[in-house]
Amino acid sequence: MKLRTVMMFVLALGISGFAHAAGEIVIKFSHVVAPDTPKGQAAERFKLLAEQKTGGKVKVEIYPNSQLYKDREEIEALQSGAVQMLAPSMAKFGPMGAREFELFDLPFLFPNQEVLHRVMDGDVGKKLFAKLDTKGVTGLAFWDNGFKQMSSNKPMHTVADFSGLKMRIQSSKVLGAQMKALGANPQVMAFSEVYTALQQGVVDGTENPVSNFYTQKMNEVQKHMTMSNHGYLGYAVIVNKAFWEGLPADVRNALTQAMKEATAFERDIAQRDNDDALAKVIAAKTTTVYELTPAERIEWQKALLPVHKEFESVIGADLIQSVNNTADQVAKEQAASAKKK
Ligand code: LMR
């Protein structure tokens, strides 16, 4: 080894040794939603646990509300190493070349959270994370938000009510097809721009779980919301792969444990957060909240189910089948346990 190489090696060791001792492993965690959402609160919980469990060797800096980056930019920032951790919604992985994540966007695919969690925590989740490996990204966990509701300035009861509506969507081709199947015009837009776009009439409406709707004050600019639960919005927590693999093993183990606990916390609060947000939307009285009737729901399903077939080749028929099998299994188990009671 040349002297210069040895010197650089010693220097690098010295710097990293110093950095660890001084608690200077910094994880910049960027996200686009408000702090008081399921994702925002879980990011805070992860920070607390990560700093505790590493004895202060790691510092987690959280940047909420698109403070650092908007949707697409944040993924690029993670890949380049400008930030270390994100939790984008799974509807945003397509532009990175991981279209299979759009499985979670398929309308009326997941009947309940139990099915979602089994799919995420099983082989499908593993397969999806394996897709990220070649993109310089490591998947750590799946976090919930919840089922999405439709909003706009006019009532949306039947499919015909969507005719010609300009609807903001996330960057997912499945969501584009979903809106088109309803007769609406989809428009991809960063989350941070939605409030203003709704206010100025650039778009007429959007879809989101109620926690996002309320914390972005969309109820101020949307007169109607339909509780349709037609699709799901959840997150994949991801890290820069080189950063993650470069961490000392004890630190990585502690962070893995912190993520596990933060994930349990997140999944526990997500539904409650959405319920609370709905109560606040109703109390604010700026948005009329409508429940779909069973017949209307069937009409929506009829219009939207063909989207599954349309995207089978992109997402993978095996992944879709796997969700359907899980749904059947869960339904069987639920029926059996209801019988016992
Ligand atoms: C959206 O863009 O509507 C959501 O993905 C925002 C989020 O991160 O929940």
Side-chain angles (χ1 to χ4, degrees), residues 37-38 89 144-150 168 170 191 206-216 218 225 227 229-235 270-271 273-275 277-278 281:
T37 53
S89 111
D144 277 331
N145 188 325
F147 288 97
K148 292 176 292 185
Q149 322 303 342
M150 292 285 191
R168 178 269 171 175
Q170 307 171 80
F191 186 62
T206 185
E207 57 166 6
N208 237 303
V210 192
S211 56
N212 277 348
F213 182 81
Y214 183 72
T215 52
Q216 296 298 318
M218 291 183 203
M225 182 160 75
M227 300 301 289
N229 293 306
H230 61 279
Y232 171 76
L233 191 152
Y235 309 107
Q271 185 58 48
D273 247 42
N274 280 303
D275 294 344
L278 178 61
V281 168

Side-chain angles (χ1 to χ4, degrees), residues 95-112:
M96 193 206 278
R99 295 282 303 279
E100 296 82 354
F101 280 76
E102 293 179 14
L103 172 73
F104 289 95
D105 298 332
L106 287 171
F108 294 114
L109 177 62
F110 294 90
N112 53 51

Side-chain angles (χ1 to χ4, degrees), residues 153 193-201 203-206 218 221-222:
N153 278 324
E193 291 163 9
V194 180
Y195 178 90
T196 310
L198 290 170
Q199 186 182 39
Q200 297 180 347
V203 287
D204 301 307
T206 185
M218 291 183 203
V221 288
Q222 294 279 264

